[in-house]
Amino acid sequence: MSPAEARLNPIASRSSQRILFPRRLRRTCFHLIQRVNMKLTLALSLVLLVFLCQNVGGKKSHKPADLDDNEFAEFEDFDDEGAEQEATVEEEADFPSESDDIVKTQAKKDDDNEEEEDEGVVENDDDEFEHFTDEDEFEGFDKESRPGKGKSHEVPDLKIAKVPIHLRTNWDSFYLEMLMLAGLGVYFLNFLAGKTKNGKLAQAWMSSHRSILEENFAIIGDDGLSKEAKGTGVFNKESENVYTLWCSGRTCVEGMLVELRLLKRQDLINVMTTIMKPASDQIIVKVTMDASSMDKFCFCIGQKKVMAKLLKEQPDLGQFTEKKAVENYNLPESFQLQSEIGEATSIVLDKKVCAYLEKYEQQIEYIHISDQYSGAKSQYDENQSKMPDVRPSLVFCFNVPGKGKTKTSDVDGMLPLMKLVFYCVDKVGRLALSKEKRLKAEKNRAKAAEGYLKAAHSQLQEAAQLRREEKRRLAKEKIMNEEDPEKARKWEERESKRDMKKKQAKTKMMKVKGM
């Protein structure tokens, strides 16, 4: 903005440009004082010169004489000159001359012009240090070496920084994020597909087996939430791959639990594992019999690779059953037979059951029938001192064909195996052992109960021994802390005598047994 525009529009100039009033006032005073001093100095010099010319003759005549007589005459002359100068200045101040009026008028005009210029002047970063470059204030200052102006003429050497490749906005830089998003998308789609397929398989099983279930049970699909027994007719969804169905209301049967353990198709990692190691969907049927409707025996037949695991997990199989030859019953070699009483085994494995085993060799995983069924043994209870709660049960495990690529038609084909379940339930309910075999079974169970009692007794003895050892240790520490050697010696003698008596009692017992 020019000075004229600034005068016309002072408000805009003050709002848009930065004006420093203290600095402008300082500069104005400085220039005014400088000019006044110069003109006063010139006037005083002229007056002093005229005064000196008029008095130079008289002073030269008597000055030498005074200097000879007075040693301080030289200094007195200087005092007289100073007094004369002060008198001259006072006279000029009392009677101002025309030259002084001209000087004052000119100074006033200059001040007005400077104020007008200062109002329109915009302060720049270079003018901020302009007073340092004033030649009147600084002698020998070189204007060409001004730091502010010199920088504007020099071209700076700018170097453009190289942006790394991974910071550039390019799609290639986000390949890792795109892979992660693609993986999450695939996992989500697989979850939806696996969940839907498992639901369809459970629905297909229910639709194909509904008629046979309604024929054998009064209540189908009891969820156990309502006080009154009421069947829903649908599976209870335990998880995305586990479905359960509880049925009740049949003679000789307390209830039946059907559990569909399907593959984890909703889990992408499990799907990839299944591709490398194929597995099958399983249907587990557990029938709980009434306590008075089943005789006492244990029986199990299943695939050899599964029987080893069952013998470790099921306590009743390890305690009561023995391995029998499958050739005696014309069964496939892939099966292994565990039986307690041969009479019950021959009754269960009749021609019809053997025909089912031969026809559905790959689908039948195992059949477990026992009056001492207590479920899988806990890995934390290795030394059980209490006999577990047992209930007479029949457990059937079937593999759905397809090896992971199961179709709804494969599930529908499992209906004959459900008929096998009800056939075995009726046969076990009518089974009656002979008196000798029943006594044998009772002896086996009494022996098992005695084993549990012995285990509990041994555990109690071990606990009592540990308490006695702890008591002796505390008594010994108490005596040692008293720092009385006589008491410590007596206590050791007493303990040694007690140990000797125990050893003598053991030797006597051994002698009696030897006689």
Side-chain angles (χ1 to χ4, degrees):
M1 183 179 291
S2 63
E5 294 175 352
R7 286 194 297 271
L8 293 175
N9 192 4
I11 297 175
S13 63
R14 289 188 181 91
S15 61
S16 62
Q17 300 172 352
R18 188 160 55 100
I19 299 174
L20 301 177
F21 290 98
R23 178 174 168 273
R24 182 179 62 192
L25 182 62
R26 181 173 54 80
R27 289 180 58 191
T28 303
C29 295
F30 175 77
H31 289 294
L32 178 62
I33 293 169
Q34 187 178 9
R35 290 179 182 179
V36 171
N37 287 338
M38 289 176 64
K39 292 179 181 180
L40 289 176
T41 304
L42 181 60
L44 290 174
S45 300
L46 291 175
V47 173
L48 184 60
L49 181 61
V50 173
F51 184 77
L52 289 174
C53 291
Q54 291 178 0
N55 298 325
V56 69
K59 287 183 180 181
K60 286 182 180 180
S61 61
H62 62 79
K63 186 177 181 179
D66 295 337
L67 291 172
D68 294 336
D69 298 337
N70 190 5
E71 295 179 358
F72 301 99
E74 184 178 358
F75 299 101
E76 292 176 357
D77 293 338
F78 286 107
D79 294 337
D80 295 337
E81 292 176 0
E84 291 175 357
Q85 291 179 2
E86 291 177 359
T88 304
V89 172
E90 292 176 357
E91 290 176 359
E92 291 178 355
D94 295 335
F95 302 97
S97 61
E98 296 179 359
S99 60
D100 294 338
D101 296 336
I102 294 170
V103 170
K104 291 180 180 179
T105 305
Q106 186 66 27
K108 186 176 182 180
K109 290 181 179 180
D110 294 340
D111 294 340
D112 296 337
N113 293 333
E114 287 180 359
E115 290 178 0
E116 293 177 357
E117 291 177 359
D118 291 338
E119 289 179 356
V121 173
V122 180
E123 181 182 357
N124 299 327
D125 294 339
D126 296 338
D127 296 339
E128 187 176 356
F129 302 97
E130 186 179 0
H131 61 281
F132 289 115
T133 62
D134 194 353
E135 292 182 354
D136 297 335
E137 295 184 8
F138 300 95
E139 296 180 357
F141 182 79
D142 189 5
K143 289 185 177 181
E144 297 179 357
S145 63
R146 290 180 64 184
K149 294 182 178 180
K151 290 183 180 178
S152 61
H153 296 291
E154 295 179 0
V155 179
D157 187 11
L158 299 177
K159 294 182 180 180
I160 300 175
K162 295 181 180 180
V163 181
I165 296 176
H166 66 279
L167 295 178
R168 297 177 184 174
T169 57
N170 192 358
W171 286 109
D172 296 339
S173 303
F174 300 99
Y175 68 93
L176 185 59
E177 287 80 359
M178 289 189 288
L179 288 175
M180 291 179 65
L181 290 175
L184 290 174
V186 171
Y187 189 90
F188 182 71
L189 293 175
N190 178 78
F191 177 82
L192 294 178
K195 175 184 176 182
T196 305
K197 186 172 183 179
N198 286 341
K200 288 181 178 179
L201 292 176
Q203 188 176 0
W205 189 94
M206 189 65 194
S207 60
S208 60
H209 292 72
R210 183 182 295 275
S211 60
I212 192 173
L213 292 175
E214 291 176 351
E215 292 175 0
N216 289 273
F217 293 99
I219 299 174
I220 301 171
D222 186 9
D223 54 2
L225 299 177
S226 59
K227 294 182 179 179
E228 296 181 0
K230 184 178 180 181
T232 59
V234 294
F235 276 103
N236 292 328
K237 188 177 179 181
E238 303 293 336
S239 64
E240 300 298 337
N241 63 302
V242 178
Y243 296 83
T244 58
L245 181 70
W246 175 258
C247 304
S248 61
R250 191 179 190 272
T251 57
C252 303
V253 175
E254 184 177 335
M256 183 181 74
L257 179 65
V258 181
E259 183 178 1
L260 299 184
R261 293 184 182 178
L262 306 177
L263 296 176
K264 295 181 180 179
R265 293 180 175 87
Q266 76 281 0
D267 188 2
L268 183 61
I269 298 175
N270 191 268
V271 170
M272 297 174 65
T273 306
T274 307
I275 294 173
M276 302 298 295
K277 187 179 179 181
S280 301
D281 299 305
Q282 288 186 341
I283 300 174
I284 300 175
V285 182
K286 179 183 176 183
V287 182
T288 304
M289 303 290 290
D290 292 333
S292 60
S293 62
M294 180 179 174
D295 219 332
K296 298 178 181 180
F297 72 96
C298 290
F299 165 85
C300 185
I301 185 171
Q303 301 288 338
K304 290 182 178 179
K305 58 183 179 181
V306 182
M307 290 302 297
K309 183 180 179 181
L310 288 175
L311 289 172
K312 292 180 180 179
E313 293 180 351
Q314 302 296 335
D316 56 335
L317 295 179
Q319 290 178 352
F320 303 109
T321 62
E322 297 177 353
K323 186 177 180 181
K324 303 293 182 179
V326 295
E327 291 82 4
N328 298 333
Y329 302 94
N330 298 322
L331 296 175
E333 295 181 356
S334 60
F335 287 107
Q336 180 179 340
L337 178 61
Q338 293 288 134
S339 176
E340 179 187 8
I341 298 174
E343 183 180 347
T345 303
S346 60
I347 295 173
V348 173
L349 293 178
D350 57 0
K351 293 181 179 181
K352 190 174 182 179
V353 174
C354 292
Y356 271 101
L357 293 173
E358 290 179 1
K359 185 177 180 180
Y360 299 98
E361 180 181 357
Q362 300 298 326
Q363 283 74 36
I364 297 175
E365 187 82 2
Y366 65 85
I367 299 173
H368 183 194
I369 303 172
S370 174
D371 68 315
Q372 297 290 314
Y373 182 80
S374 60
K377 182 171 57 177
S378 177
Q379 58 180 354
Y380 302 105
D381 298 336
E382 294 182 358
N383 297 323
Q384 289 185 348
S385 59
K386 183 180 179 182
M387 193 168 182
D389 296 332
V390 297
R391 306 187 75 176
S393 304
L394 287 80
V395 183
F396 302 84
C397 182
F398 304 130
N399 293 325
V400 181
K403 287 290 183 182
K405 300 178 181 179
T406 308
K407 301 178 182 179
T408 55
S409 59
D410 298 330
V411 177
D412 296 338
M414 301 296 292
L415 183 60
L417 294 177
M418 182 56 66
K419 294 179 180 179
L420 173 65
V421 171
F422 293 118
Y423 178 78
C424 292
V425 170
D426 294 336
K427 182 173 281 295
V428 170
R430 293 192 302 266
L431 189 147
L433 296 176
S434 61
K435 189 176 180 180
E436 295 179 357
K437 300 300 179 182
R438 188 177 290 111
L439 290 173
K440 180 182 178 181
E442 290 177 354
K443 287 181 180 179
N444 292 337
R445 279 142 187 77
K447 186 177 180 180
E450 186 180 355
Y452 281 110
L453 290 175
K454 287 182 179 180
H457 183 66
S458 63
Q459 288 183 3
L460 291 174
Q461 285 184 342
E462 290 178 1
Q465 182 67 22
L466 290 174
R467 287 195 297 271
R468 285 194 296 269
E469 293 293 336
E470 183 67 18
K471 188 176 179 180
R472 288 185 62 184
R473 186 182 64 80
L474 293 174
K476 185 176 181 181
E477 288 180 358
K478 184 178 180 181
I479 292 173
M480 293 300 179
N481 291 331
E482 290 180 359
E483 297 181 357
D484 190 352
E486 185 65 24
K487 287 185 178 181
R489 185 180 61 79
K490 290 181 179 180
W491 183 83
E492 289 178 356
E493 290 179 356
R494 186 168 58 254
E495 291 296 327
S496 61
K497 289 180 180 180
R498 186 179 298 173
D499 294 337
M500 291 294 294
K501 287 181 179 180
K502 289 182 180 180
K503 290 180 181 180
Q504 289 177 0
K506 288 182 180 179
T507 54
K508 289 180 179 179
M509 290 292 293
M510 293 294 293
K511 288 180 180 179
V512 170
K513 287 182 180 180
M515 292 174 63

